[in-house]
Amino acid sequence: MRPDAVVGHSLGELTAAWAAGVLELADLLELTAVRGRLMESGPGEGAMAVVHADTEAVLAAMTAHPGVEIAAFNARRSATITGPADAVSGLCRDSGLRTQMLTVSQAFHSAAMEGAVAPFVEAVADRTLSAPVIPFASTVTGDWHTAGTVADPGYWGRAIREPVRFSQALTTLAEVGPAVVWEIGSHPQLTSLARSSWGETPPVWLSTLKRDRTDQIQLHSAVAEHYNHTRTELDWAGLHRDKGRRTTTIPTYPFNRQKLAAPPVRRSGAETSTLSHPLFDRHYEHQSEGQ
């Protein structure tokens, strides 16, 4: 299947760039590894938490806790905060808002990531970046990417440091009016957030993989549901290509057209019929009182 538009969350924006034709696969994999190493090299003393409240309430709570920043605008009532561990835990404790601490190794998308920006900009500058061949929504600006934004190494550096504007990008993506939206990953994480950011006509939400389902069963079931809703042309041969499988003819069912009951036979004072079961090919007698 070929997407009509793509969007990626944080690191996932690099993958979306590959899907949009901006990056070659080898460059995607190398930049993913570089980005991970650079971000993990931070001070390692930060924390992150999810706050279940609207943006205005989160920003108001942050004023009493210097150092706390917004890491991601995920949905209308869901934001991720980041910063020094004591400041983040203090906001969670004192704000009165519903919060959940995250298990992380760094305060991503915060001032702690400043040291990763310039080296990553240099790494991106060594790659060939092409204009998107399909619409590609930015989670740094929340608007559509252009040939200029994707080719700017500085943009990809900003994506490490600045907040992820996922909810704004989803609003932009909704302009395409898709009938089906896929979440590509090891388990659905973004779908619930995307639902709350969508407009009045929600699409069908599908996932490539789920933790509690066999990979092939999940993927093939989702492909079938995609087809049932869109009737789009699918490359069925491509689904099985290079998997070393062979086709075989399924035998038809050998219909046995025997009658299930023979005419009753009169006997003294009783009626007896001989019945034949087509699966076991055995006969047995059934008796009933005669008149």
Side-chain angles (χ1 to χ4, degrees):
M1 293 179 287
R2 297 180 63 84
D4 295 313
V6 290
V7 63
H9 189 288
S10 191
L11 175 61
E13 188 163 7
L14 282 174
T15 307
W18 166 74
V22 175
L23 287 170
E24 296 292 334
L25 181 58
D27 290 331
L28 163 66
L29 297 177
E30 291 177 3
L31 288 175
T32 298
V34 170
R35 188 181 190 272
R37 285 196 300 268
L38 290 171
M39 295 179 73
E40 286 294 341
S41 66
E45 299 172 352
M48 301 179 73
V50 176
V51 184
H52 300 281
D54 58 52
T55 302
E56 291 73 16
V58 177
L59 293 174
M62 287 168 51
T63 60
H65 301 275
V68 176
E69 302 179 60
I70 298 286
F73 298 93
N74 284 325
R76 292 172 182 170
R77 290 188 56 80
S78 177
T80 300
I81 58 173
T82 183
D86 56 347
V88 172
S89 60
L91 185 149
C92 293
R93 182 184 63 248
D94 302 334
S95 67
L97 303 175
R98 187 162 66 93
T99 62
Q100 179 182 357
M101 294 294 296
L102 300 177
T103 302
V104 295
S105 58
Q106 304 281 342
F108 299 116
H109 296 281
S110 76
M113 295 293 105
E114 289 285 2
V117 173
F120 191 64
V121 170
E122 292 179 10
V124 175
D126 290 335
R127 316 290 163 162
T128 299
L129 302 173
S130 304
V133 295
I134 60 173
F136 175 18
S138 164
T139 49
V140 173
T141 67
D143 205 348
W144 293 113
H145 267 298
T146 66
T149 59
V150 297
D152 177 14
Y155 170 88
W156 299 101
R158 291 172 57 197
I160 289 178
R161 175 64 181 87
E162 296 184 17
V164 179
R165 299 184 181 277
F166 183 68
S167 60
Q168 294 95 318
L170 258 291
T171 301
T172 298
L173 188 69
E175 296 173 3
V176 179
V180 174
V181 172
W182 284 79
E183 179 174 351
I184 301 173
S186 58
H187 186 74
Q189 300 287 348
L190 302 174
T191 298
S192 60
L193 301 173
R195 287 176 188 270
S196 64
S197 300
W198 211 261
E200 297 180 355
T201 307
V204 174
W205 304 95
L206 299 177
S207 302
T208 53
L209 300 174
K210 290 184 178 180
R211 287 196 200 100
D212 55 349
R213 297 199 71 187
T214 303
D215 292 354
Q216 183 171 324
I217 292 175
Q218 167 61 26
L219 180 58
H220 288 188
S221 298
V223 169
E225 189 170 356
H226 176 97
Y227 178 80
N228 289 339
H229 281 90
T230 65
R231 289 294 190 261
T232 189
E233 182 179 350
L234 298 177
D235 181 7
W236 295 107
L239 187 64
H240 302 286
R241 189 176 295 125
D242 300 326
K243 295 182 180 177
R245 295 172 179 165
R246 62 184 180 87
T247 58
T248 186
T249 302
I250 300 176
T252 58
Y253 184 84
F255 289 100
N256 187 330
R257 300 189 183 281
Q258 286 181 311
K259 291 183 178 181
L260 295 180
V265 178
R266 286 280 181 178
R267 291 187 179 176
S268 57
E271 181 180 281
T272 302
S273 62
T274 301
L275 302 179
S276 173
H277 195 293
L279 296 182
F280 302 110
D281 196 26
R282 295 177 60 185
H283 299 276
Y284 59 93
E285 290 188 339
H286 169 72
Q287 291 187 342
S288 62
E289 294 298 327
Q291 298 297 325

